Amino acid sequence: ATIKAPPEKIFPLINDFKSWTAWSPYEKKDPAMKRTYGQVTSGKGATYAWAGDRNVGSGSMEILDAPAPSRVTIKLDFIKPFEGHNVAEFTLEPQGDSTQLTWAMHGPTPFVSKVMQVFVSMDSLIGKDFEAGLANLKAAAEKP
């Protein structure tokens, strides 16, 4: 997404797990979701866990690296509805008076996931959520 705001304005929205309620598409999928924040909620070492309905499942996140204001790297562990261990990365690149924001996720693909990907694209499963999250981040960061 291209956001008409400097990286310094966008970075805190990603780097602080308590700010995710303002933009994460998963927060809206289950408003009754239970959230547990670690003692540290922003920057390297920050932790967050969630437990929700079948739309969001349960899992935890930890910020592994967060060089301000260019990148936030997160260890993402899903417990339900299926187990998965991935890395999510937000990259912020200044472009004049805007920022190019990229949200990517990568990790190992167990055999069951490989079989599933024959029938269903992972991009179709989570791509729309990432697009919604980027749009929400854009709206939040571009507020005056």
Side-chain angles (χ1 to χ4, degrees):
T2 300
I3 300 175
K4 199 155 184 72
E8 294 80 10
K9 187 168 183 187
I10 304 163
F11 184 83
L13 296 169
I14 302 164
N15 189 51
D16 186 343
F17 285 134
K18 287 191 174 181
S19 295
W20 284 47
T21 56
W23 65 267
S24 173
Y26 304 105
E27 297 286 335
K28 291 168 183 54
K29 284 186 172 201
D30 180 10
M33 178 172 57
K34 293 180 180 142
R35 300 160 189 85
T36 306
Y37 297 99
Q39 288 186 341
V40 176
T41 63
S42 66
K44 186 175 179 175
T47 58
Y48 168 78
W50 74 93
D53 63 16
R54 64 180 180 82
N55 292 312
V56 297
S58 62
S60 64
M61 295 189 283
E62 177 184 356
I63 297 178
L64 299 176
D65 194 26
S70 61
R71 190 178 72 247
V72 178
T73 304
I74 299 169
K75 177 181 167 215
L76 181 56
D77 294 311
F78 296 101
I79 299 167
K80 290 181 182 176
F82 54 87
E83 185 177 352
H85 306 283
N86 297 285
V87 172
E89 190 164 63
F90 294 86
T91 307
L92 299 91
E93 297 177 31
Q95 294 184 337
D97 65 347
S98 299
T99 300
Q100 182 66 39
L101 175 63
T102 304
W103 182 6
M105 185 171 69
H106 53 90
T109 308
F111 179 74
V112 173
S113 295
K114 286 179 185 174
V115 170
M116 190 174 93
Q117 288 176 6
V118 170
F119 303 102
V120 179
S121 158
M122 287 306 285
D123 188 51
S124 69
L125 284 177
I126 61 170
K128 289 186 187 337
D129 292 337
F130 278 30
E131 288 173 15
L134 290 169
N136 294 342
L137 270 167
K138 179 178 174 70
E142 289 180 350
K143 280 183 185 174

